[in-house]
Amino acid sequence: MSEVTIKSIAKALQLSPATISRALNDSHEIKQSTKDRVLAYAKAHNYQPNTFAKNLKTGKTNLIGVVIPFLSSPFFLEFIEELYKAVLPLHYTLLPFQTQNQEKLEEEALHFLLSQNVAGIISSPAHENSNITLLKRIHEFHCPIILFDRIQHSLDTHKIGIHNSLETYNATEELIKKGRTKIAFLCGKDIGNTKDRIRGYKNALLNHAIPFVEDYVIYADYQNPNEAIDSEIRQVLCDLQQRDLLPDAIVGGTDTLSIKILGVLADLHLAVPEDVAVIGFTNTNLADYLNPALSTIRQPTQKMAQLAVELLLELIEKKRHNTEIAYKSYLLPSHTVHRKSSAI
Amino acid sequence: MSEVTIKSIAKALQLSPATISRALNDSHEIKQSTKDRVLAYAKAHNYQPNTFAKNLKTGKTNLIGVVIPFLSSPFFLEFIEELYKAVLPLHYTLLPFQTQNQEKLEEEALHFLLSQNVAGIISSPAHENSNITLLKRIHEFHCPIILFDRIQHSLDTHKIGIHNSLETYNATEELIKKGRTKIAFLCGKDIGNTKDRIRGYKNALLNHAIPFVEDYVIYADYQNPNEAIDSEIRQVLCDLQQRDLLPDAIVGGTDTLSIKILGVLADLHLAVPEDVAVIGFTNTNLADYLNPALSTIRQPTQKMAQLAVELLLELIEKKRHNTEIAYKSYLLPSHTVHRKSSAI
DNA sequence: TTGTAGGCGTTATCAG
DNA sequence: CTGATAACGCCTACAA
């Protein structure tokens, strides 16, 4: 790394390393003239403090670990981008990791973050209670953790998300009000918020006296490769069609699925929204340009990210002072944009 | 961090720290039985080596810095995802940074990576010769750097990209062969590969005796916010339309612009491909679902990422042994997919 | 206001 | 094969 160290500066300026260290840290016990000399020299010789030594000594970092399922999902991507914006002025650095929804990879990511001695972690867990023991241990003994999006996880901490059942209820109801009755719900297998979203979907049907059809809840397994998911969904729809049970509307329960379904329906030569109306959870900026333009339930990624950082820094501060903490769940309002795919 | 250290293990097992260290590192000078004892104890007590101490001592890490302009650009996103896949089995960890095409942010990212003592860096520079002095210094004195995509940068190192002028030539020629003559080229201002792409575009016109119109090269400034870019492009097209110079085809020179232009054309009530045919550089998986399906020139992100990792590790190895290195540029073949937007 | 000395956890050198 | 010792660069009592 760098050759210029506190020691070398000390030698050059005929001062002790301690003085240099204090001067660089702007300690009040160093007189201004000395500080000036040291700072000038440090700047001139491009002194870079050794992070590792500093960390070894202090046990603190300005790193924030981020653990998400997929970077390629528009929602998570947007969230991460907002996180970057939020931490930039605060001089914290993000260490982002993907779990691919796999508990094992999540565990590895968490271990790595521990080894980097991150100041805190922001995560959307792989599964409902994935790595709960590890997360609890980290949260209690190492650094605070904040959960977002998949907030059904039982870790006791601040959680940031949306009102999943309500949003799904509203989306489903909208389709009902437009006269659709054979409404399917497309959702991810083993994903934390799926349950809540299904609940909203079911409640909407119930309140409008539409019988719930088990087969209309379609699960996609994210462990499978992309093409497999596509053909799986297509197969399910074909089966339903043959049994004369083709849905006349679909609520997309995740980012990825909401987009995919457009392709599948096109493949099956079904017209959207005429044959099948679609509305889905997704944060893609391309919703307007999709074919047809996709009605979306958009999560407030910017607010979520800002709140996540704010709460995390607060926790980091409080942990230092051992303050008592009451954890809260923050359910932020989503924003539904109605486009052609549900314009019946 | 962790409470169990080499020292504590040494005490517990009545051995010296040196022996523990060697045992943990599987040194050949430690007898098997001792190794077994140590490893068993370490595992049982969940020993985690202290990265900072290790680094301080050895001066080495398993970190790879990644510096790209935007995460939100499909090409870069896909590249990063492939990088993750490539380094996962090799036990290297990625530190990704975005520069937003800003030299200043790029500089900060590089400095941070230096402070983390990364083993190597993979970067697509913000501008043609952005941070050249810093990059040279890093490459020479700290760790190897590999450039990709924007490989017109003058840093002397391995470079991985595509044959930009050729690909643009082909795309332009395709539109010409289909009878279009008023072909515009949409490109990013101050971006490394823009020049090459414009060259290919011009050559295609030249070889087909189509006069080059200065106004048909449309620059978008990535420093502006998204909406500004949109309205800027719309304005340019409106102007051209009023002067009766509306293009009948557009070649999109970047990921973002290629997608944006579809929205702009829709706004102007211009039919694609009937009024204006479009073909663009982009790696979005959604090309098929766009309205209309977008003809794309797709960069081979997987091969690029794999090659980048391979070459970087090779350089890291060679630097250790001070081997003489001959740097190469690798121009990988792109893959053009013809879809409706250019189906005239 | 500045200096001295010790130690964070690890590895490397040298000795036994 | 194992142990003692020093050192990586930094911070912080404690001393002066």
Side-chain angles (χ1 to χ4, degrees), chain A residues 17-28:
Chain A
T19 306
I20 308 299
S21 172
R22 286 188 270 242
L24 290 170
N25 289 308
D26 202 23
S27 159
H28 54 272

Side-chain angles (χ1 to χ4, degrees), chain B residues 15-44:
Chain B
L15 287 166
S16 80
T19 305
I20 308 299
S21 172
R22 285 189 272 240
L24 289 170
N25 288 306
D26 202 22
S27 157
H28 53 274
E29 33 183 1
I30 301 290
K31 73 175 171 205
Q32 195 57 46
S33 62
T34 308
K35 278 188 197 171
D36 291 345
R37 272 178 71 208
V38 174
L39 259 48
Y41 183 95
K43 190 160 192 182

Side-chain angles (χ1 to χ4, degrees), chain B residues 14-312:
Chain B
Q14 311 258 48
L15 287 166
S16 80
T19 305
I20 308 299
S21 172
R22 285 189 272 240
L24 289 170
N25 288 306
D26 202 22
S27 157
H28 53 274
E29 33 183 1
I30 301 290
K31 73 175 171 205
Q32 195 57 46
S33 62
T34 308
K35 278 188 197 171
D36 291 345
R37 272 178 71 208
V38 174
L39 259 48
Y41 183 95
K43 190 160 192 182
H45 293 71
N46 190 29
Y47 165 72
Q48 299 290 90
N50 182 313
T51 328
F52 301 101
K54 193 172 199 157
N55 268 285
L56 181 57
K57 188 64 192 170
T58 63
K60 281 181 214 158
T61 66
N62 287 308
L63 302 174
I64 294 180
V66 184
V67 183
I68 56 169
F70 297 99
L71 210 47
S72 57
S73 161
F75 165 70
F76 290 116
L77 178 61
E78 216 179 82
F79 180 83
I80 291 249
E81 296 247 83
E82 293 297 339
L83 273 188
Y84 270 107
K85 287 187 204 159
V87 300
L88 194 64
L90 306 174
H91 295 285
Y92 274 82
T93 300
L94 297 185
L95 296 184
F97 279 83
Q98 301 180 79
T99 65
Q100 318 272 10
N101 270 347
Q102 293 173 34
E103 195 158 359
K104 182 73 191 158
L105 288 180
E106 184 173 74
E107 189 188 334
E108 283 176 21
L110 292 171
H111 275 132
F112 177 79
L113 292 177
L114 272 187
S115 79
Q116 293 302 100
N117 197 19
V118 292
I121 294 175
I122 298 173
S123 169
S124 184
H127 300 305
E128 183 132 2
N129 275 320
S130 57
N131 287 300
I132 177 68
T133 320
L134 177 56
L135 286 170
K136 273 188 180 159
R137 205 184 77 212
I138 295 176
H139 191 58
E140 186 169 0
F141 298 112
H142 297 273
C143 67
I145 300 174
I146 300 243
L147 299 184
F148 76 98
D149 183 49
R150 303 181 174 183
I151 53 179
Q152 296 69 19
H153 199 282
S154 68
L155 181 71
D156 186 30
T157 183
H158 286 317
K159 295 173 187 175
I160 303 169
I162 59 169
H163 201 315
N164 283 297
S165 61
L166 180 65
E167 298 295 340
T168 322
Y169 182 99
N170 289 340
T172 311
E173 188 173 54
E174 185 193 329
L175 295 167
I176 295 172
K177 283 187 175 163
K178 290 187 172 172
R180 302 284 156 125
T181 53
K182 303 192 293 188
I183 303 172
F185 185 68
L186 195 54
C187 56
K189 205 181 139 196
D190 282 334
I191 290 182
N193 49 33
T194 291
K195 274 189 198 167
D196 285 345
R197 292 186 181 174
I198 289 184
R199 193 153 43 81
Y201 161 76
K202 280 189 180 172
N203 279 341
L205 296 181
L206 189 67
N207 282 2
H208 291 268
I210 297 176
F212 168 68
V213 179
E214 193 76 51
D215 288 349
Y216 277 173
V217 177
I218 304 171
Y219 289 91
D221 189 343
Y222 277 72
Q223 288 335 318
N224 295 335
N226 260 318
E227 309 75 40
I229 298 180
D230 279 22
S231 68
E232 199 183 323
I233 300 176
R234 183 167 39 236
Q235 195 52 53
V236 171
L237 287 180
C238 281
D239 287 353
L240 288 171
Q241 197 169 20
Q242 291 197 336
R243 292 158 54 204
D244 216 26
L245 279 172
L246 187 73
D248 54 15
I250 296 179
V251 178
T254 78
D255 238 343
T256 328
L257 296 172
S258 303
I259 297 169
K260 270 187 183 309
I261 190 65
L262 291 183
V264 171
L265 292 171
D267 256 19
L268 296 175
H269 302 290
L270 293 167
V272 177
E274 295 79 3
D275 298 331
V276 184
V278 175
I279 182 165
F281 280 90
T282 173
N283 276 56
T284 181
N285 285 321
L286 273 51
D288 260 322
Y289 310 155
L290 293 174
N291 193 5
L294 180 64
S295 297
T296 57
I297 307 163
R298 216 177 207 293
Q299 302 202 45
T301 48
Q302 186 178 6
K303 282 196 184 136
M304 292 173 92
Q306 287 170 349
L307 186 57
V309 170
E310 186 186 316
L311 292 174
L312 188 64

